[in-house]
Amino acid sequence: MEILIDDLSGQDVKTLIQEHLDDMHATSPAESAHALDLSELKKPNIVFWTVWEKDQLLGCGALKTHNAKEGEIKSMRTSHLARNKGIASKLLNHILTTAKQSGLERISLETGPQDFFAPARALYQKNGFSECGPFADYQPDPYSVFMTKTL
């Protein structure tokens, strides 16, 4: 398994991001779906990784830097074929290690309260994240769960 910085140009990656966006918009009202599209994921304050096993895309995730001390996890997604195989845990650990090495002190994220997001919330809680209030530009939202972790 390899975790690589990705430029989001491959069709497999574009398809996985579109699946992610489709699911986010299917489970949350439009104003509460905070998933980033391809153009937003290419901004300079975001590093985007993909996880591969040979030529099979297993998942993706990103780190958005808000300032010198705070970052945010974005676009965590595991492909349907790779679910429940520990891919998300390995990628999350990679992102957290990279964030810490970059000098970030706090990592936060936004996810949903719906059952669809229960596995994600469990993964983050298992890795030391706890619920918090809105951060960065987020506002209170009944369709959002905010979580944070000090590095």
Side-chain angles (χ1 to χ4, degrees), residues 118-138:
R121 291 191 311 270
L123 170 70
Y124 297 128
Q125 287 172 342
K126 176 180 145 190
N127 283 277
F129 284 81
S130 58
E131 288 191 28
C132 64
F135 60 93
D137 295 332
Y138 290 103

Side-chain angles (χ1 to χ4, degrees), residues 13 33 37 41 43 45 54 71 88 93 97-98 105-107 111 124 130 139 148:
V13 175
D37 65 20
L41 287 168
K43 290 187 175 177
N45 64 328
K54 298 184 182 175
N93 286 329
T97 298
T98 302
E105 296 175 359
R106 177 173 299 281
I107 299 295
T111 189
Y124 297 128
S130 58
Q139 299 299 314
T148 194

Side-chain angles (χ1 to χ4, degrees), residues 17 36 57 62 69 82 85 101 104 106 109 144 146 150:
I17 292 298
L36 302 179
L57 177 61
K69 301 293 181 191
K85 296 185 179 178
Q101 290 171 346
L104 296 179
R106 177 173 299 281
L109 61 94
S144 289
F146 302 102
T150 302

Side-chain angles (χ1 to χ4, degrees), residues 1 3 51 85-95 123:
M1 182 187 79
I3 299 174
V51 183
K85 296 185 179 178
I87 303 304
S89 291
K90 290 177 183 171
L91 180 57
L92 179 59
N93 286 329
H94 180 82
I95 292 171
L123 170 70

